[in-house]
């Protein structure tokens, strides 16, 4: 039994499966548009219907991200967001929510600069459940993946449309929590996934693992979330939520009285979509 067996992520996916519905995974960028507002959004996500939260770690060179998340990262960095502040957000969230899983998603550079051992210790103490580090390949598992697992933190790996059956075993070898299937080739938020192709890919990946398969990149609406969720164990939405933040800001990129409510309304709509996914498929 590994240190990550029975984590909050495992429990949440299992609970959603028991309800015969996909898990809604929502992404926001830590510190966007400022620390206080971002924390308010973070705390509001579960009540709006988010099952699992991805918290983006701002980095100056987010190579896999589309324009929306790149701009969010720039806003967060301009507002003074740091790794310590990101971990402090998780700690503050845990003061009132002990159940909702939180993953940190981003790039290796900020973690490396923080110091791997110190980062894993501080992340675990803050209440982080999982990591998605998009620029660390399976060949580098000894760098962070395996130490994270030993620290009791799930390490979630990405599979893509170009990840063939020969490559999948390496990708899945030390993955835990769930498998994140990237539904499109390219950067986030720039294309719409083909539900039929996604369903085929999910079925193929499930032939290699017992882990839940969640699908992200390009899911923007409740209808898309519902369609994707008919076959996937989870649906990940990021750019659309980040865009809801952006559209609520004033001309100086400052939060307004509608910023938090805009995110809550969108997430509530997405939650209705995923809750209806399997019932619609059965009709």
């Amino acid at each position: 039994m590994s240190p990550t067996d029975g984590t909050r992520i495992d429990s949440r996916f299992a609970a959603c499966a028991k309800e015969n519905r996909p898990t809604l995974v929502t992404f926001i960028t830590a510190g966007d548009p400022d620390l206080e507002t971002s924390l308010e959004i973070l705390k509001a996500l579960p009540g709006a219907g988010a099952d699992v939260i991805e918290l983006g770690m701002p980095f100056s060179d987010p190579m896999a991200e589309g324009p929306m998340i790149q701009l969010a990262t720039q806003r967060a960095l301009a507002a003074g967001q740091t790794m310590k502040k990101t971990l402090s957000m998780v700690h503050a969230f845990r003061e009132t929510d002990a159940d909702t899983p939180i993953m940190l998603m981003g790039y290796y550079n900020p973690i490396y600069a923080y110091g791997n051992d110190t980062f894993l210790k501080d992340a675990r103490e803050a209440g982080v459940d999982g990591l998605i580090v998009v620029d660390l390949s399976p060949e580098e598992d000894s760098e962070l993946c395996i130490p994270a697992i030993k620290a009791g933190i799930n390490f979630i790996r990405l599979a893509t449309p170009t990840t063939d059956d020969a490559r999948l075993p390496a990708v899945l070898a030390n993955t835990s929590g769930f498998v994140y299937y990237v539904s499109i080739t390219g950067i986030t938020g720039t294309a719409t996934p083909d539900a039929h192709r996604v369903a085929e890919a999910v079925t193929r990946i499930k032939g290699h693992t017992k882990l839940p398969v969640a699908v992200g990149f390009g899911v923007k609406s409740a209808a898309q979330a519902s369609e994707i969720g008919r076959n996937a164990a989870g649906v990940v939405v990021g750019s659309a939520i980040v865009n809801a933040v952006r559209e609520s800001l004033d001309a100086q990129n400052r939060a307004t009285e509608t910023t938090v409510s805009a995110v809550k309304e969108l997430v509530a709509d997405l939650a209705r979509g995923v809750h209806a996914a399997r019932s619609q498929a059965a009709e």
Side-chain angles (χ1 to χ4, degrees), residues 21 24 48-51 222 225 266-276:
R21 67 172 181 86
L24 177 59
D51 297 305
L266 174 57
V267 172
D269 190 41
L270 292 166
R272 284 189 287 270
V274 299
H275 280 257

Side-chain angles (χ1 to χ4, degrees), residues 22 44 48 61 68 70 73 77 85 88 92 103 110 120-121 126 131 152 183 192 202 209 216 231 239 243 268 283:
D61 188 23
M68 293 302 172
Q70 285 190 16
T73 292
L77 292 173
K85 289 180 179 179
S88 76
M103 302 171 295
L120 290 173
K121 176 178 175 292
L131 294 176
S183 62
T192 300
V202 168
T209 181
N231 298 287
S239 293
N243 189 49
E283 290 173 358

